[in-house]
Amino acid sequence: MESNTRCLAGASLNLAGAPLGLSSFAFSTLYHCVALFLVVAMLPVAVLFPVVALGQELPGVPVQLVPLAGEEVEVKHLGTWRPGVVLDAAEGQALVSFDYSGRADEKVFDLDEVRYPWQPSAISPVYLWKDSTGEHSIEAAVSGFDEEAKTVTLVRRADGSKVTLPIDNLGSIEKRRVRILIRTAPPPVALVPPLDFFGGTEQLVATGLGASSSLDSLTADPAVIRVAVPMGGAAFEAAYKDESLIGIFPIGSSRGWILGATLPKKYSSKRDMPSRLIWATLDDGKVVTQHLIAAEQRTLAVHARSQQIMTLGTGEGKAATLTIWKSSPKMKEAEAVVRWESGEHHSYKYSNRWGLFINGRTVLHRMNDGEYAAYDFVAQKTLYKFGQDSRSNPEPALSPGHRYLAIPEGGSVRVVDAATGQVLANLPVEGGSAGAVAFDQAGEKLAILSYNEMAVWTVGSSQPPRRVRADLLTSASRLAWVDDNHLLVGGNVLFSLNQALPVWSYRPQGEVVQDRNEPNTVAIASSRLCYGVRVGNSYRDAGALVIGAVELPGPSVRETVAGMDRDELFVLEPGVSVRLTVECGEYNDQVRSEMMRHIESNHWQYDPDAPIHILASMTRDEPKEMLYIKSRSRFGFGGMSIFGPTKEQLANAERVTSRAYRSTLRISQDSERLWGTASAGAIPSSLRLEEGQSVESMRSKYERPRPEMFTTVKIPAKLYDPRYRGGFGVSTFGKLGLDPKPLSNLPQGK
């Protein structure tokens, strides 16, 4: 085994895919080291015995499991367990008929790829169980026990049905067997429930045309219970080499409850291992309990008040599924609530890895690039759906009290009622597309990050937003408020509203591994940076997983920023030379004239050989077919996104071939971007049409060149040195909190 702390030396692990991992599984140091029981495989001759603590063996002889012709089983085909029927079995193999992609198929499987449908729920081999009189017996495996009620639950070998019996009513050998199981059994694995069908909806969220362009009609929406997290950390051993920490979710309280979620790496040989939910307290650095749930279940969101979590998994045909579980540190094991399909796209798509709880019965899930659906999982129905008019599809944001949902898009941010999808406001965005949005902790402000600026809107006010230049920031889809003056951009850059600059960066320590495709490993709660990392990157050692929380901005940051001389930060300012390239076809002369006007008004010097380069270009996209579906809801027309349209909807749909125009302005030095902006002349993905209008008739209004962008654009006269794109220093985090390192040769004030 990979580590001698796992107490599994000599155990055979190539068994019929039972969910306990049926391989080595490390526990937190909170747990004593125990041996794991192995569900007996359906081997025709040899029977494997479980390895137990202190060299003991379960009394009695396990029953051999040999699949017979006509029996219903499950087979592992292309990495997924599928139902089938045994046609024949001999010499360690079975010929099984099963369905795949809607058609019947037959294949010979090795018996480690065949199991009975009830087998994943078993935590022991199948034994002959007798009562205290010896007159009654059944062949069954243990699926669970209740120490307080003094009962054991058995799953019958014959039909998979379960029966719960008082332990005192069993025979003496059977009682001893249960006592050993209670001492040595690992935590149970909660299995996914059968798929439920959720009713569809024709309600598509409106585009926001005609909606208020301010937040004056809204009221502040603070959290009902504010999440408070103390500084601290908790470490626990990885269960196996490829176990990754894929999410941390701050819960709060004075003890600093936090949930960590794990999953094997995508191409790991350990893909059948259970997913872990780690409940820890940061004030004392302890793992309090862990829950095991079915393999390949990715935790997306947590709703602390209802003690529920949402996971992403895979259904038949690789379609993405969502599962709601009950889980809390007071529960002995997680409990599955409901499971359903969300969209028709593969669950492993990165875009599907986003979801949130709107309340204790409603969730929102990104089904695909720019496609979202809100589900009432109690009523088992789809509430509403919407498409996102954005090329980068940044994440929507909920207000702290979960009343409002802000949806960032190309030229605006739609604010909708999170429970119903009703559009409440449509906020204009300057400086390019909306890249990220975030409500502050009081629910009073909404920050919108676009290409070159940060705009802060005030809830309940009709005043225009506070606009702060942010041209040093790179694009990001995630934004979080740290305090009234600072926001964390992309999970790693601290931006100061007062300074109008990124002032610091935060990165994992060198010996720490953080998966870039796991955005949920960083979160902000009560001005704390909450993070999850893996310590050690050895191919031999499983390493440890660390959950921590540190206060932002951290040591040395404020002092370093306060000592900066802002006048020394600029690489382009009045008097500096620039060169100009214009690639705008028939608009070349017009655009060149406008750009020379900008150069003169900013008091730059034109020099065709200057190292600082201004590029103005106009291009047109390749043709793209768009399908517009009419909605019967009060919101009018839906957008280009298709969410399972009916035949009637498809019959009334309109197909349009679009070719968007792009106007782009970029200022760079030695190929490194200093500043830029862009504008698109494209038909929107959602339209509101009057009687007699068609989408095609509206296309010319939107789909046209945009040379006027080069006239109306506002170019700052001073541009920052890109060296400070990540701030004035870096603080690394990992096992020992924050370790700050300011950049060398920083300009100092007098």
Side-chain angles (χ1 to χ4, degrees):
M1 291 297 97
E2 295 170 344
S3 171
N4 58 10
T5 62
R6 292 166 179 73
C7 299
L8 281 171
S12 177
L13 305 177
N14 187 23
L15 298 181
L20 295 180
L22 305 189
S23 60
S24 63
F25 200 95
F27 295 86
S28 159
T29 53
L30 179 69
Y31 296 92
H32 59 280
C33 189
V34 298
L36 305 188
F37 280 85
L38 309 180
V39 176
V40 68
M42 287 171 278
L43 302 179
V45 181
V47 176
L48 297 177
F49 287 84
V51 179
V52 297
L54 305 178
Q56 295 174 317
E57 291 184 356
L58 290 177
V61 178
V63 175
Q64 297 181 14
L65 297 183
V66 180
L68 303 176
E71 287 190 319
E72 294 183 357
V73 294
E74 292 179 341
V75 292
K76 194 170 187 179
H77 180 65
L78 299 178
T80 301
W81 289 98
R82 307 176 190 279
V85 177
V86 176
L87 301 179
D88 192 16
E91 299 181 356
Q93 293 182 322
L95 175 63
V96 180
S97 171
F98 65 100
D99 288 336
Y100 175 64
S101 296
R103 58 183 176 83
D105 199 354
E106 293 182 6
K107 181 181 175 181
V108 175
F109 292 89
D110 292 334
L111 288 180
D112 60 358
E113 296 177 323
V114 181
R115 70 185 186 190
Y116 290 108
W118 53 263
Q119 195 168 342
S121 66
I123 62 173
S124 84
V126 173
Y127 286 92
L128 185 66
W129 295 82
K130 297 182 179 180
D131 66 0
S132 57
T133 66
E135 298 179 359
H136 304 283
S137 64
I138 59 172
E139 291 181 359
V142 176
S143 66
F145 42 78
D146 188 328
E147 292 184 73
E148 295 182 2
K150 297 182 179 180
T151 59
V152 61
T153 299
L154 305 177
V155 53
R156 288 187 174 93
R157 179 250 188 274
D159 57 10
S161 62
K162 293 184 178 181
V163 57
T164 299
L165 303 172
I167 296 175
D168 289 342
N169 290 357
L170 299 175
S172 58
I173 293 178
E174 286 73 15
K175 289 178 184 178
R176 181 185 169 203
R177 188 182 298 151
V178 173
R179 286 196 297 268
I180 295 175
L181 274 172
I182 291 175
R183 270 200 324 271
T184 59
V189 177
L191 305 180
V192 293
L195 281 171
D196 281 304
F197 175 77
F198 276 30
T201 180
E202 294 182 358
Q203 180 171 319
L204 303 180
V205 175
T207 63
L209 295 176
S212 173
S213 58
S214 74
L215 300 177
D216 58 339
S217 63
L218 279 60
T219 58
D221 185 35
V224 177
I225 300 176
R226 185 171 177 177
V227 176
V229 176
M231 288 195 295
F236 51 97
E237 184 184 6
Y240 44 90
K241 186 174 61 178
D242 289 335
E243 186 180 32
S244 294
L245 192 60
I246 55 96
I248 54 102
F249 304 90
I251 307 299
S253 83
S254 59
R255 296 192 62 190
W257 283 103
I258 191 167
L259 174 68
T262 76
L263 196 69
K265 293 181 180 178
K266 181 177 178 180
Y267 297 108
S268 170
S269 61
K270 305 287 188 178
R271 287 177 58 190
D272 286 342
M273 295 295 283
S275 301
R276 285 207 287 174
L277 304 176
I278 308 294
W279 288 98
T281 47
L282 296 178
D283 67 332
D284 54 9
K286 291 184 177 180
V287 172
V288 177
T289 190
Q290 67 172 338
H291 292 160
L292 307 184
I293 59 176
E296 298 187 271
Q297 290 293 306
R298 171 181 294 275
T299 301
L300 297 183
V302 177
H303 191 256
R305 295 189 66 190
S306 64
Q307 300 182 346
Q308 296 180 120
I309 69 168
M310 174 171 61
T311 63
L312 173 71
T314 303
E316 289 297 324
K318 299 295 184 181
T321 63
L322 297 178
T323 304
I324 304 299
W325 311 77
K326 293 281 289 185
S327 178
S328 79
K330 294 183 179 180
M331 298 175 61
K332 292 183 178 180
E333 58 189 271
E335 300 174 1
V337 177
V338 64
R339 176 172 171 248
W340 72 99
E341 286 190 358
S342 181
E344 300 177 353
H345 306 284
H346 293 308
S347 63
Y348 57 74
K349 287 199 65 172
Y350 178 74
S351 58
N352 289 5
R353 298 180 183 180
W354 183 90
L356 50 78
F357 278 91
I358 295 173
N359 52 48
R361 61 180 294 156
T362 309
V363 295
L364 181 69
H365 180 228
R366 182 165 61 194
M367 306 155 59
N368 194 30
D369 296 332
E371 299 182 358
Y372 298 78
Y375 301 100
D376 182 336
F377 58 82
V378 175
Q380 298 193 2
K381 65 179 182 180
T382 308
L383 293 179
Y384 60 83
K385 297 178 179 180
F386 62 85
Q388 188 177 23
D389 186 12
S390 173
R391 298 181 69 185
S392 58
N393 306 310
E395 299 173 0
L398 266 180
S399 58
H402 292 198
R403 287 169 58 190
Y404 310 129
L405 180 70
I407 307 169
E409 298 187 294
S412 66
V413 171
R414 273 184 293 175
V415 180
V416 306
D417 184 307
T420 66
Q422 179 182 359
V423 177
L424 304 174
N426 193 41
L427 306 179
V429 172
E430 295 183 5
S433 300
V437 293
F439 287 92
D440 73 340
Q441 297 174 5
E444 298 174 347
K445 297 177 182 178
L446 173 63
I448 301 174
L449 175 64
S450 59
Y451 209 50
N452 291 307
E453 76 167 23
M454 185 85 73
V456 180
W457 296 75
T458 300
V459 177
S461 172
S462 60
Q463 296 298 313
R466 174 188 179 187
R467 298 189 183 276
V468 176
R469 63 179 293 184
D471 43 284
L472 274 181
L473 290 175
T474 55
S475 60
S477 64
R478 181 166 292 195
L479 193 64
W481 287 80
V482 175
D483 54 38
D484 290 340
N485 180 47
H486 296 93
L487 295 101
L488 194 68
V489 181
N492 59 0
V493 175
L494 190 68
F495 181 82
S496 169
L497 292 173
N498 292 340
Q499 297 275 356
L501 284 170
V503 295
W504 212 259
S505 290
Y506 301 88
R507 300 172 187 167
Q509 291 173 349
E511 77 276 13
V512 167
V513 178
Q514 185 182 41
D515 193 334
R516 294 180 180 179
N517 292 327
E518 304 296 352
N520 285 331
T521 53
V522 174
I524 296 294
S526 61
S527 298
R528 305 282 196 266
L529 173 68
C530 304
Y531 62 88
V533 293
R534 180 188 180 100
V535 179
N537 192 21
S538 171
Y539 288 101
R540 299 178 180 178
D541 185 18
L545 304 176
V546 177
I547 298 172
V550 291
E551 187 171 9
L552 295 181
S556 302
V557 177
R558 298 186 192 276
E559 297 82 355
T560 302
V561 174
M564 296 295 301
D565 183 354
R566 289 174 58 86
D567 292 336
E568 298 293 327
L569 302 178
F570 301 107
V571 67
L572 177 58
E573 54 188 335
V576 175
S577 297
V578 298
R579 59 189 169 99
L580 173 65
T581 301
V582 178
E583 299 175 351
C584 297
E586 61 182 292
Y587 299 97
N588 263 6
D589 292 343
Q590 175 185 340
V591 173
R592 178 176 293 277
S593 176
E594 292 299 329
M595 295 311 303
M596 290 302 297
R597 181 180 61 82
H598 286 299
I599 291 173
E600 292 174 4
S601 64
N602 281 344
H603 302 289
W604 300 333
Q605 302 297 317
Y606 176 74
D607 180 353
D609 297 319
I612 296 181
H613 182 208
I614 301 176
L615 173 62
S617 63
M618 294 178 64
T619 59
R620 195 173 186 188
D621 292 353
E622 292 297 318
K624 177 182 179 182
E625 187 176 66
M626 303 172 70
L627 181 64
Y628 287 81
I629 299 173
K630 187 174 182 180
S631 168
R632 294 178 178 175
S633 75
R634 65 182 185 278
F635 298 128
F637 272 77
M640 60 172 283
S641 300
I642 305 171
F643 304 100
T646 64
K647 291 183 179 180
E648 180 183 358
Q649 287 175 322
L650 286 174
N652 295 324
E654 184 175 354
R655 296 182 184 273
V656 174
T657 300
S658 173
R659 289 191 68 189
Y661 290 87
R662 308 283 173 187
S663 296
T664 305
L665 179 60
R666 176 185 172 93
I667 303 177
S668 59
Q669 182 181 41
D670 298 328
S671 300
E672 187 165 20
R673 177 186 176 274
L674 300 179
W675 186 89
T677 189
S679 176
I683 188 170
S685 62
S686 298
L687 286 170
R688 184 183 295 276
L689 303 181
E690 302 295 336
E691 187 68 29
Q693 287 183 328
S694 66
V695 178
E696 182 63 40
S697 69
M698 300 290 290
R699 185 166 61 146
S700 60
K701 176 182 176 182
Y702 297 98
E703 191 176 293
R704 61 178 181 82
R706 301 281 183 176
E708 64 271 16
M709 186 205 79
F710 300 100
T711 301
T712 59
V713 66
K714 298 176 182 178
I715 309 175
K718 296 182 177 182
L719 296 182
Y720 293 107
D721 188 329
R723 178 171 180 257
Y724 307 114
R725 195 175 302 282
F728 309 128
V730 176
S731 289
T732 55
F733 58 83
K735 296 181 293 183
L736 303 175
L738 291 175
D739 180 18
K741 290 182 174 58
L743 295 179
S744 60
N745 301 320
L746 288 174
Q748 299 298 315
K750 297 180 181 179

